[in-house]
Amino acid sequence: MPTPQAHPWLEPLWVRLLIVVFLIAALAAEFLWLGDQLWLFLWGAALVYAIWDFFLRGVYGKPKA
């Protein structure tokens, strides 16, 4: 299996945080006001994947070799 590589556009921490904050806001808006279960699930799944990919997988934030 190939080694996962960081995308250059997502290297800065502020970009990754901005994406996560947007997903949290969209999930909150869907939960509080709109209430469509399909979009609630999709926003939640995107948020979980973003947190895993950006912060837990260990690809981003490493010093360049």
Side-chain angles (χ1 to χ4, degrees):
M1 186 170 201
T3 305
Q5 295 181 354
H7 193 282
W9 188 79
L10 295 170
E11 275 297 324
L13 178 62
W14 69 269
V15 172
R16 292 179 278 143
L17 288 175
L18 186 67
I19 292 170
V20 169
V21 166
F22 170 75
L23 290 171
I24 290 171
L27 183 64
E30 194 66 47
F31 182 75
L32 295 174
W33 293 293
L34 303 173
D36 188 357
Q37 289 183 349
L38 174 64
W39 283 106
L40 189 66
F41 175 77
L42 292 175
W43 287 121
L47 177 62
V48 168
Y49 180 76
I51 290 172
W52 175 79
D53 188 41
F54 295 161
F55 303 109
L56 300 178
R57 191 166 64 146
V59 174
Y60 295 100
K62 287 184 177 178
K64 297 202 187 261

